[in-house]
Amino acid sequence: MQQWIAEIAYDTTSGAKREVETFYLPSEDDVRNEISKRNGYVLSIRPHERSPLERLLARSAMWQVQLLRGIQFRSTATSPGVALWKIIESERSPMRQNILSPAREALARGLGVIDALKAMNIFDPGTLAILAASDKANKLEDGIPHAIQSVTQKRKNARAIMGTMGWLAFDVFTIVQSLIWGRGMVLDWFLDNKPTKPEELEKYENVVGMLSLTWDVLIATAVGMAIFMGWTVISFMVNKGKKDWPTARIVRKIPLIGGYLRDLGFADSMSACSRMLKGLVPINVALDQASEATTSPDISKYWLDTAADLERGIMLGGALDREPLTYTERLELATLSDLTQVATIMESIAEMRAQAAKTKHSLIVWIAFALTGLYLAIAFGSAIYALTVMNMSMDSMMSSLTEGAF
């Protein structure tokens, strides 16, 4: 499903009338069919694209929380779908109206509130899974506080990582800038002031060559990391909501970061599945919905494989007992004796994964500090070493002047 902007011409008694309308349909052909049913003529059709400011606002955690709270407050007197419709109707900001327009189209076509929230493409899969699980249990208003907590916690994690990386990047940038600007000047001075004695000259050239190589490696490493990090951030922003793409696969292969993302994915999906089971949602529906709660393919495959085993008649404990769960988690699942225990065990696993994610998050920050400190130490050490090379040259020059004087 996608939002489309269509320019349409209608025949009226006063002549042709041109209008611009929005549609939320799967394909351009569906839009043409819908316009034909209205006795209109297609002038142009294009996919709706948000402006950069709209994308920033739509992905703002503050605005997402505000929208969810609005649905929660209005749901006390009406259904969640009607509550969302009232929010859309009361919105006066053109930018926000544009963001909310896919939800309006979805509700107008008779889709549910979860489909409308998905249509806006502003929430991450974990938050949507929490909302969908609560909605299937007919307790959406009870699930919204948990979704808000998920949004705010992820915002805190993102701010902590971005703040740390930003500060470290500033330190590295200043050092690299000094290396780039000073490299040519310092090395040129070294080359113009070589020692005159053959034995000192050979040693001097070896030292200057190693110094030049060290600075080249430092600069190339910093520039390469900056390009990779910039490309990763832009790729994740552009592909937000997708389950898999090349950049995500590369990031998931980084040992500690891949484990951190896997823990977050399991925490979200286990929590969503537990909430659905407590709401008496059928197990097959809960497992299918849990697979949609994460962008990690291996976690999604875990839930789908579990559902497939259940269909083949395997007991629930045996179906859930598989990788990539840890040994401790699989031991917990092995103690299952009836369905009523599943939700409790899944909630326990979700808490353990959330705690593991926090631990890995702290470890990532400290390792980043350590690696940056190592980089700065090498940079400062090479600069100090450059002074010793300069002393070699100065000593040779003074020695030559002294010999010439006598």
Side-chain angles (χ1 to χ4, degrees):
M1 301 290 281
Q2 184 177 354
Q3 187 180 8
W4 304 86
I5 309 296
E7 192 176 3
I8 310 169
Y10 292 101
D11 286 328
T12 65
T13 55
S14 59
K17 182 181 179 182
R18 179 179 296 182
E19 293 184 359
V20 176
E21 298 182 13
T22 61
F23 297 87
Y24 185 66
L25 293 167
S27 66
E28 186 174 333
D29 291 335
D30 293 318
V31 177
R32 293 183 184 275
N33 293 335
E34 184 67 24
I35 294 172
S36 298
K37 292 177 183 178
R38 302 182 185 183
N39 297 320
Y41 302 93
V42 177
L43 299 179
S44 65
I45 300 175
R46 62 178 176 84
H48 169 71
E49 294 182 0
R50 289 176 180 156
S51 67
L53 284 177
E54 287 176 2
R55 284 196 291 270
L56 288 174
L57 176 60
R59 291 166 183 173
S60 166
M62 185 178 299
W63 188 71
Q64 292 177 13
V65 169
Q66 182 182 353
L67 178 62
L68 292 175
R69 282 178 177 161
I71 296 174
Q72 182 185 15
F73 295 152
R74 288 172 172 82
S75 295
T76 57
T78 184
S79 68
V82 175
L84 178 57
W85 182 267
K86 288 183 177 180
I87 292 175
I88 296 171
E89 289 294 311
S90 63
E91 185 58 61
R92 293 293 175 265
S93 169
M95 185 178 296
R96 291 187 177 183
Q97 287 177 346
N98 211 19
I99 297 170
L100 292 168
S101 58
R104 176 198 290 272
E105 293 292 329
L107 292 173
R109 288 174 55 81
L111 300 177
V113 63
I114 301 300
D115 294 315
L117 293 174
K118 288 180 179 179
M120 288 191 291
N121 193 28
I122 65 175
F123 295 102
D124 64 90
T127 303
L128 284 174
I130 294 172
L131 295 171
S134 304
D135 183 59
K136 287 184 180 296
N138 295 319
K139 296 180 180 179
L140 180 60
E141 63 277 5
D142 295 335
I144 288 179
H146 296 284
I148 290 175
Q149 182 182 6
S150 173
V151 171
T152 53
Q153 183 61 46
K154 288 176 181 177
R155 179 180 63 178
K156 289 179 182 178
N157 291 343
R159 282 183 174 179
I161 290 178
M162 293 303 294
T164 302
M165 296 304 176
W167 178 256
L168 297 178
F170 174 76
D171 285 343
V172 174
F173 173 78
T174 54
I175 297 299
V176 170
Q177 188 181 34
S178 301
L179 290 175
I180 292 175
W181 285 100
R183 179 184 178 281
M185 181 178 63
V186 172
L187 292 180
D188 287 344
W189 189 91
F190 287 158
L191 294 175
D192 292 338
N193 296 274
K194 296 180 180 180
T196 55
K197 295 181 179 179
E199 60 277 6
E200 292 182 358
L201 178 60
E202 183 179 358
K203 180 181 178 182
Y204 181 85
E205 289 178 344
N206 289 335
V207 171
V208 172
M210 290 299 297
L211 183 62
S212 175
L213 178 62
T214 301
W215 285 355
D216 287 341
V217 170
L218 288 174
I219 293 172
T221 301
V223 172
M225 287 299 298
I227 293 173
F228 174 75
M229 292 177 65
W231 169 59
T232 301
V233 170
I234 294 173
S235 180
F236 269 82
M237 291 178 63
V238 171
N239 294 285
K240 184 177 182 180
K242 294 183 180 179
K243 279 190 172 293
D244 198 24
W245 68 97
T247 308
R249 288 194 290 269
I250 293 173
V251 171
R252 283 195 297 267
K253 289 181 180 179
I254 301 174
L256 192 59
I257 295 177
Y260 170 71
L261 295 176
R262 189 180 302 110
D263 287 340
L264 285 180
F266 259 123
D268 290 339
S269 59
M270 283 285 181
S271 177
C273 192
S274 171
R275 189 169 287 108
M276 281 186 283
L277 293 177
K278 287 182 178 180
L280 302 180
V281 175
I283 185 66
N284 60 328
V285 177
L287 293 176
D288 182 67
Q289 191 64 47
S291 69
E292 299 293 327
T294 176
T295 57
S296 179
D298 56 341
I299 300 177
S300 180
K301 185 176 182 297
Y302 167 83
W303 295 108
L304 295 176
D305 290 345
T306 300
D309 284 351
L310 281 178
E311 292 178 357
R312 291 199 298 268
I314 298 176
M315 298 296 292
L316 180 59
L320 290 169
D321 183 8
R322 65 175 68 245
E323 294 183 350
L325 291 182
T326 63
Y327 178 73
T328 304
E329 293 166 347
R330 297 175 74 170
L331 282 180
E332 285 202 39
L333 290 171
T335 62
L336 276 176
S337 58
D338 57 69
L339 190 60
T340 58
Q341 297 177 346
V342 178
T344 303
I345 292 177
M346 285 186 175
E347 189 174 10
S348 173
I349 292 175
E351 291 175 357
M352 287 191 296
R353 287 285 182 164
Q355 187 60 43
K358 288 182 181 179
T359 303
K360 287 185 175 67
H361 173 267
S362 300
L363 191 57
I364 289 171
V365 172
W366 283 111
I367 289 177
F369 270 115
L371 291 177
T372 305
L374 177 63
Y375 181 92
L376 297 179
I378 295 174
F380 280 120
S382 62
I384 295 172
Y385 188 61
L387 295 177
T388 64
V389 179
M390 187 178 295
N391 288 336
M392 289 174 59
S393 177
M394 295 296 293
D395 291 342
S396 177
M397 292 173 60
M398 293 299 296
S399 193
S400 299
L401 292 173
T402 304
E403 291 176 358
F406 294 99

